[in-house]
Amino acid sequence: MSGQNNDIGKVSIIISRGSLDGVYPGLILANGARMEGFEANLFFTFFGLDAIIEKRMDKLSISTVGNAALRLPWGQKMPTWLGMLPGMASFATWMMKNEMEKLDIPPVREFLQIIKDSGAGIYACKLAMDMFHLKREDLWSGVDDILTVGDFYQISTGGLVLFT
Amino acid sequence: MPTRELFGKTIEFDDDGHLKNFSDWNEEIAKELAKEEGIAELTARHWLVINYMRREFPRLGDAPTLRKLTKESGVDTKELYELFPKGPMKKAAKISGLPKPKGCI
């Protein structure tokens, strides 16, 4: 696919969840947009902020509680009560990180750096920052700015907005 | 299957506009394809990427990922986007005579 008819132009992606499975789709979409030659913005809000908080971004995990689609390594559905057992979240996270490494999907910090170096904008939500009592210095140094919802719409003008 | 006359040879292309046959590629074709992608001149840094892609493709059966390329070729992400603006991996694959990359990363 090439040519102007396939040019989305700009994509602004909101990441609102802080689990690994909540964060990666947005990262992959943003990276993919830049790879296709589109502009891209990432806007982290609510628990999604964890992905750009310096002390938390390397420790995101899979949510095993309340995740009805989770399966055991041999393909059988995981009983939901099992997800509550100690160690299950870290086990599932370890499994998923292994699989991602096989596909050459980078860890969160490295992926964000790639996305930033590709020229995408990386933003934190002001309201969520205030709500969680977070400061600029709590954020990863690659974050471009802290935006209000109005600012976010301004930078998104003329493009697609995706909520994840 | 679209074919084109390039430098006195009939070359087959796929529907994505990439070379059909890896072995049809040569440096002249690379320069021509680069021009069509808006890259007027291929510098030594472009060739570093192109040669890396050509070297890795037969083994991988696909274009390398951006992550692998930037770790191993000596060209980092920022520079790659400068060398091949607007879609670096697709453009680099095309100019290197590779099919369109299959992966999402």
Side-chain angles (χ1 to χ4, degrees), chain A residues 33-148:
Chain A
R34 291 299 301 134
M35 297 265 274
E36 290 297 313
F38 312 143
E39 274 183 64
N41 294 307
L42 274 174
F43 184 67
F44 293 86
T45 188
F46 278 77
F47 296 103
L49 278 175
D50 272 18
I52 50 168
I53 293 172
E54 180 57 42
K55 285 186 178 152
R56 299 184 195 160
M57 61 195 294
D58 299 320
K59 295 172 192 151
L60 304 186
S61 59
I62 295 282
S63 37
T64 51
V65 176
N67 188 347
L70 211 61
R71 285 178 186 272
L72 293 161
W74 50 93
Q76 191 189 349
K77 266 209 168 175
M78 190 174 96
T80 47
W81 57 264
L82 211 60
M84 291 161 64
L85 294 183
M88 280 312 287
S90 52
F91 174 69
T93 302
W94 173 80
M95 285 272 305
M96 187 161 182
K97 283 184 172 170
N98 254 346
E99 293 303 316
M100 291 198 299
E101 189 60 43
K102 278 188 217 161
L103 293 174
D104 212 22
I105 304 173
V108 171
R109 181 185 294 271
E110 185 187 342
F111 209 175
L112 277 168
Q113 189 65 54
I114 290 172
I115 292 166
K116 183 172 178 66
D117 288 347
S118 79
I122 297 177
Y123 303 101
C125 166
K126 179 164 191 315
L127 180 75
M129 293 277 292
D130 291 345
M131 195 173 64
F132 293 134
H133 306 290
L134 292 162
K135 297 187 200 69
R136 184 71 180 84
E137 53 267 33
D138 297 318
L139 297 178
W140 174 57
S141 60
V143 175
D144 290 295
D145 207 353
I146 300 166
L147 303 183
T148 64

Side-chain angles (χ1 to χ4, degrees), chain A residues 1 35-37 104 110 118, chain B residues 65 67 78 81 86-87 90:
Chain A
M1 305 247 283
M35 297 265 274
E36 290 297 313
D104 212 22
E110 185 187 342
S118 79
Chain B
T65 60
R67 185 190 190 201
K78 269 186 194 162
Y81 272 88
K86 288 223 150 205
K90 264 166 74 176

